[in-house]
Amino acid sequence: MSRTPVKPFLINKDEEGRVRLTVRETRYNMQNYPIVTATVLDETFATATAARAYARDNFGAEAGQFAAK
């Protein structure tokens, strides 16, 4: 069975229009089922580019590891 991996960083806008960054960690259980833990950071950003820069500087994010909602 093929499963599409979840990108570790999600960038989206909240209800007030602020850009938020969510850090996601994927683990697999004994049956190889993915378990995703998502943590929304408290910090907000002016743009998606600023959120990407923050993820790159603080979490070592690379191009292709971002999803947008």
Side-chain angles (χ1 to χ4, degrees), residues 26 29 35 48 53 58-59:
T26 303
N29 67 7
I35 300 169
N58 292 284
F59 298 105

Side-chain angles (χ1 to χ4, degrees), residues 12-60:
N12 62 348
K13 287 190 176 186
D14 63 10
E15 300 82 30
E16 290 86 31
R18 297 175 297 202
V19 177
R20 303 295 299 254
L21 178 64
T22 303
V23 178
R24 302 186 288 191
E25 178 185 355
T26 303
R27 306 184 322 271
Y28 295 90
N29 67 7
M30 293 174 59
Q31 290 79 28
N32 205 28
Y33 186 82
I35 300 169
V36 178
T37 304
T39 305
V40 179
L41 300 181
D42 292 332
E43 187 167 350
T44 60
F45 304 93
T47 63
T49 303
R52 282 188 184 93
Y54 182 86
R56 183 187 65 238
D57 295 342
N58 292 284
F59 298 105

Side-chain angles (χ1 to χ4, degrees), residues 6-7 35 50 52 65 68:
V6 175
K7 297 198 185 246
I35 300 169
R52 282 188 184 93
Q65 292 185 323

